[in-house]
Amino acid sequence: MTATNPEKTPLSQFVADLRRVPRRVLDAAWRSGAPTTDRARAEFVFSNLFLHIHPVRTHRWSLRWRTTLGLGAMATAAFLLTLVTGVLLMLYYKPYPEVAYQSIKDIHFVVPTGRFMRNIHRWAANVMVVVVLLHMARVFYTAAYRPPREFNWLVGMGLLVVTLGLSFTGYLLPWDQLAYWAVTIGANIAQSPRELTDALGITGTFDPGGLQRKLLLGSDVVGEEALIRFYVLHVVILPLLLAVLMGVHFWRIRKDGGLARPEDADSRLGPQENVYPVFTQAPLKTYHLAAIVRGRSPVVGKGPENTVPSMPHLFYAEAGVFMFTVLICLALSISLDAPLKEPADPNVPENPAKAPWYFLGLQEMVAHSAFMGGVGIPMIVVIGLGLIPFLDRERAGVGTWFGGPGGPRLALASAAYGLAAVLAVESFAIRFGWLRQWFPDIPQPVITCCNPGTLIVALYAGYSLWIVKRYQSARAGAVALFTCFLCGFLVLTVIGVHFRGPNWDFYWSPADWPRH
Amino acid sequence: MSGTDAKGRSRLDPEPSPRRDFLGMSAVGACLGASALALAGMLRLPKVAVTASPSKKFRVHLPDSTPAGEPWVPPGRNVAIFRDADGVYAISLVCTHLGCIVKPGAQGFECPCHGSRFNSQGEVVGGPAPKALPWHAVTVEGSELLIDLGETVKPGTKVRV
């Protein structure tokens, strides 16, 4: 070797060292060397800050694509896309009424790649909403929220709410007609508890609705203060919250013992060549850094385990999902431009004034009662979803699709019932109207409590309680309720998107809308 | 095993002793309390004390050509002014449901956002609106009308010109 050559002069030694600098910098940064053995593969993961959120080894069950469909990773990928493109858009966007609209026009027509970046931002945000909802459905239908994963289900719900919050604050920023009227409607939904306090005659002394509206708008009117507040929410507060919740979400996956899998996962997977357990016996303790802890962690007492090194198996899968997400967002961004309507006009709302598709189910309910549709029912749904893992304490069916009592047949039957109920109530309301048309003098609280939205919720809740009784199982009831709500969301969204026209009237097709 | 006492406890999880923790708990409590108060103080900031909004009073001249019972909307204002045999009156165009601007017609008002419908007196006849459209105060000042959007009057209040 040159380094041990005694005839080496100091100069040639220096030159040799100089030539080795890149190699040595790399070695210093990446101490484990090439991941060619299982030990080096483990080191590759845990000695790297950015990779060590992953486990060193991954269970083979978690790597089957039909376990997760890659939905969580897709949501993360979509978030990263919005993050990068969002920071780029911030270079040109100016959060001030009128100027905001012009800056979006600049981004669209003048800024190099601006239009493409805005499209990617918009489509990745849409993909994120869809994928987060599907991810929640996946976790639900595989009963993966069961102990010890209850808390992560709650964190996931927080992520859903923040994702929707980011979408809402995002489409306000262009300050076009959609934005202006969405801010107006959103702020008034925040004020809608007045529907109740007015009826009780206590708005003068106790007015949570008015306070919420004022906090959101920073003023009595929708204007520059409101825009800057929604901007701060969109670019700082909500993304930070989302990032923190994502960190907790991922960390808890590890601490809760990886992805949920059935008890008999190993026998169902069968043997595979080159897979051997690290622990040949079940470990009795978890070795933490601080102290030797008693059996609280989920791996204690389980083994031998059926894992493969995360490098490369898990990372290749994640990279594949990431590329797939990028591909979808790019394809959408090339073919469809993000919309920009006319500049905001405080005197003339659009007709119909429609929110983006994911809020049109809500808009349909809001068109029955502002407080119930915009505040009451969403809160009931969020609380109901949050309670699921604490009421369903059964063990059967963890980690398998439609596991537990009833199985896929119950899910199908519930879907049929859920569709029938929402279609029946909506058709009735569309055909015959509701209480206000029949009794114009009816007190508002009656309509707040009894409207098509609450009726659908009551029908779903009643059905689900009946299923609990019939199957003697909280899981069966949860499957019934969750499936019903998915169907309700779907139908209301489709009605809002396709069947509502000017004045929120019912039309079979947008082609039938009257022309002015 | 070394490090465990007769009851099988290790030195890492000794018997809990609430009394010994009293000072520690008070310290934590004081810290949390102070943080909560500080946070409450900080949350005073987003609640605006003064709101800058345009004046809610304005003067207009109601065009003489306005037919009786037909709405006339002053440019840039969300209010409809009517004239009939009993006098003039002004009805707000801001929907009492979620604040969209309703479209006035001879028959009544229609909201484009969520389908609320009001009759020609502003009373709800359909849709989700919880309340009637408010009537605004009108004062006659010579040939002009002074409309105050900050003040509502009893529906049916008409002013002789």
Side-chain angles (χ1 to χ4, degrees), chain A residues 21 66 84 118 166 195 204 224 259 265 285 290 340 360 399 457 463 495 499 513:
Chain A
V21 164
R66 64 171 174 264
V84 173
R118 178 166 176 255
L166 275 165
E195 227 178 79
E224 61 211 60
L259 303 185
K285 289 171 175 170
L340 181 66
L360 284 182
V457 171
Y463 171 74
I495 291 178
F499 294 105
W513 291 6

Side-chain angles (χ1 to χ4, degrees), chain A residues 68-415:
Chain A
T68 62
L69 309 178
L71 291 167
M74 251 183 111
T76 313
F79 171 66
L80 291 177
L81 280 177
T82 55
L83 192 70
V84 173
T85 50
V87 169
L88 287 172
L89 291 174
M90 281 177 74
L91 295 182
Y92 288 97
Y93 174 76
K94 303 176 189 76
Y96 194 82
E98 282 102 55
V99 183
Y101 186 82
Q102 295 307 327
S103 69
I104 298 286
K105 283 232 148 162
D106 282 350
I107 289 171
H108 193 95
F109 291 109
V110 183
V111 174
T113 75
R115 173 173 166 184
F116 195 41
M117 290 303 149
R118 178 166 176 255
N119 289 354
I120 297 174
H121 192 72
R122 195 257 183 175
W123 282 113
N126 271 263
V127 165
M128 193 171 156
V129 171
V130 177
V131 168
V132 163
L133 288 171
L134 290 177
H135 177 57
M136 181 170 76
R138 190 286 289 176
V139 171
F140 177 80
Y141 284 119
T142 56
Y145 53 76
R146 294 255 178 83
R149 299 180 177 81
E150 317 100 296
F151 183 70
N152 225 11
W153 171 260
L154 294 183
V155 176
M157 294 194 33
L159 284 166
L160 171 68
V161 171
V162 176
T163 302
L164 291 176
L166 275 165
S167 304
F168 181 70
T169 51
Y171 71 75
L172 307 181
L173 300 185
W175 214 248
D176 58 353
Q177 278 286 66
L178 171 69
Y180 183 86
W181 292 103
V183 177
T184 305
I185 291 170
N188 283 322
I189 286 178
Q191 188 184 248
S192 67
R194 275 196 184 169
E195 227 178 79
L196 286 184
T197 53
D198 275 353
L200 297 170
I202 54 171
T203 306
T205 46
F206 177 71
D207 183 19
L211 178 67
Q212 289 190 92
R213 179 186 151 94
K214 212 167 183 180
L215 280 180
L216 274 180
L217 295 185
S219 169
D220 294 328
V221 290
V222 175
E224 61 211 60
E225 288 89 357
L227 179 52
I228 198 94
R229 278 179 189 220
F230 285 112
Y231 178 67
V232 170
L233 277 174
H234 186 74
V235 303
V236 182
I237 297 175
L238 292 179
L240 269 182
L241 201 58
L242 193 81
V244 170
L245 286 177
M246 275 168 75
V248 175
H249 203 57
F250 298 160
W251 187 77
R252 280 301 288 241
I253 297 174
R254 298 277 310 279
K255 295 293 160 183
D256 296 343
L259 303 185
R261 58 177 178 272
E263 301 270 343
D264 58 348
D266 294 328
S267 60
R268 282 165 72 169
L269 283 168
Q272 187 184 319
E273 243 179 289
N274 299 329
V275 170
Y276 53 88
V278 176
F279 293 108
T280 47
Q281 294 163 344
L284 298 175
K285 289 171 175 170
T286 302
Y287 294 86
H288 280 230
L289 286 176
I292 297 171
V293 177
R294 265 171 219 280
R296 295 289 297 277
S297 118
V299 296
V300 168
K302 305 241 175 73
E305 84 292 346
N306 196 355
T307 56
V308 291
S310 296
M311 171 70 206
H313 295 90
L314 176 60
F315 296 155
Y316 282 12
E318 284 184 351
V321 170
F322 182 77
M323 294 312 289
F324 177 66
T325 314
V326 172
L327 191 75
I328 290 179
C329 294
L330 289 189
L332 287 166
S333 307
I334 289 170
S335 42
L336 294 162
D337 276 344
L340 181 66
K341 307 210 164 177
E342 297 77 33
D345 180 348
N347 297 115
V348 185
E350 283 192 304
N351 194 1
K354 288 195 181 190
W357 64 268
Y358 39 84
F359 285 132
L360 284 182
L362 269 184
Q363 190 168 346
E364 176 66 22
M365 287 200 300
V366 162
H368 298 310
S369 157
F371 176 69
M372 266 303 158
V375 182
I377 293 173
M379 268 177 68
I380 291 172
V381 170
V382 166
I383 291 172
L385 286 173
L387 280 177
I388 288 174
F390 300 96
L391 296 180
D392 167 17
R393 309 298 283 185
E394 294 157 32
R395 296 305 310 163
V398 171
T400 41
W401 281 89
F402 305 105
R409 277 199 55 196
L410 174 61
L412 272 179
S414 305

